[in-house]
Amino acid sequence: AQSVTQLDSHVSVSEGTPVLLRCNYSSSYSPSLFWYVQHPNKGLQLLLKYTSAATLVKGINGFEAEFKKSETSFHLTKPSAHMSDAAEYFCVVRALNAGNMLTFGGGTRLMVKP
Amino acid sequence: DGGITQSPKYLFRKEGQNVTLSCEQNLNHDAMYWYRQDPGQGLRLIYYSQIVNDFQKGDIAEGYSVSREKKESFPLTVTSAQKNPTAFYLCASSIGQTNSPLHFGNGTRLTVT
């Protein structure tokens, strides 16, 4: 079975400071990993994906994530937060041994203070 | 522009009534999915379809039904048997390969009173 744990349900940062959203996964097969963002009453938008190529993945809006197999982590970072980054973020894993289905983390709500 | 369209955005129904949520995609994706999202929670899979005329139950299929008669369309019916239907419903589609992401619609918020 595969699982995803987002270690913080809420993260609060000041505008202009770095963002770190933590994600740990378990999967007995080489997984694909994704980060999505959801603004209120909207669908999920793909930020970035890891699919066994480069371990440091760059996404949209200045976000990036690093796949660390030894730590089974896929943390999302951004050097400088903007007010528009305030949203819910989901880490997602997908693997063949799980029937190719996606498993979602519980989400992290990012708040950005002016 | 290609994408996924969910309609309506807001839906209100009386308890005991069936209601159908629409999901249409023009991305030519084989796989389509329905998720339910409750406040402060992640997404839970209701049903998915990997090909036309075939669909599978997800983790919380009880009280829901779907059809996949066309590649572009995957409507979800919330039946009166669903005990707690008030939620935000998200439809998604994908190419179906392991490394392909899901593309999401903007959701339908269903309120049953």
Side-chain angles (χ1 to χ4, degrees):
Chain A
Q2 63 185 19
S3 65
V4 180
T5 302
Q6 291 184 241
L7 297 160
D8 306 292
S9 60
H10 294 80
V11 170
S12 180
V13 301
S14 297
E15 192 174 20
T17 64
V19 175
L20 170 64
L21 305 182
R22 298 182 294 166
C23 173
N24 284 100
Y25 71 93
S26 70
S27 175
S28 57
Y29 198 81
S30 297
S32 294
L33 292 156
F34 310 89
W35 274 100
Y36 285 87
V37 59
Q38 184 181 32
H39 289 93
N41 293 312
K42 294 287 188 184
L44 277 68
Q45 179 186 15
L46 181 68
L47 279 177
L48 50 81
K49 66 177 183 178
Y50 166 77
T51 57
S52 77
T55 56
L56 182 62
V57 182
K58 293 188 184 301
I60 62 171
N61 301 336
F63 284 95
E64 62 181 40
E66 186 171 7
F67 174 71
K68 292 187 176 180
K69 187 174 181 179
S70 60
E71 299 176 11
T72 61
S73 69
F74 190 57
H75 301 334
L76 182 70
T77 61
K78 183 173 181 177
S80 175
H82 295 159
M83 294 298 291
S84 60
D85 294 329
E88 186 100 19
Y89 292 79
F90 292 95
C91 181
V92 182
V93 63
R94 187 175 198 180
L96 275 175
N97 68 321
N100 209 19
M101 297 309 297
L102 285 81
T103 300
F104 286 79
T108 297
R109 182 163 298 280
L110 175 65
M111 294 166 283
V112 182
K113 297 176 290 187
Chain B
D1 286 340
I4 300 179
T5 301
Q6 289 186 246
S7 60
K9 187 171 177 63
Y10 298 96
L11 192 53
F12 298 89
R13 280 293 183 269
K14 294 289 187 185
E15 195 174 320
Q17 293 179 333
N18 291 357
V19 59
T20 298
L21 283 60
S22 170
C23 177
E24 303 278 332
Q25 55 101 357
N26 61 3
L27 299 166
N28 200 34
H29 285 171
D30 288 315
M32 296 187 74
Y33 310 79
W34 274 106
Y35 288 91
R36 170 182 172 136
Q37 187 177 30
D38 294 285
Q41 297 189 30
L43 277 68
R44 293 184 289 169
L45 182 64
I46 305 172
Y47 267 99
Y48 64 100
S49 168
Q50 294 183 323
I51 197 168
V52 175
N53 291 322
D54 186 48
F55 48 83
Q56 307 294 331
K57 292 182 179 180
D59 300 320
I60 55 164
E62 185 175 350
Y64 299 97
S65 66
V66 294
S67 63
R68 186 86 187 277
E69 297 175 3
K70 298 186 300 182
K71 189 175 186 177
E72 305 79 28
S73 179
F74 192 41
L76 173 74
T77 297
V78 184
T79 75
S80 56
Q82 168 49 234
K83 291 182 172 54
N84 187 17
T86 295
F88 189 52
Y89 290 88
L90 286 161
C91 180
S93 70
S94 77
I95 296 173
Q97 298 165 358
T98 305
N99 61 0
S100 60
L102 265 58
H103 297 257
F104 284 85
N106 277 329
T108 293
R109 185 165 298 282
L110 173 64
T111 302
V112 176
T113 57

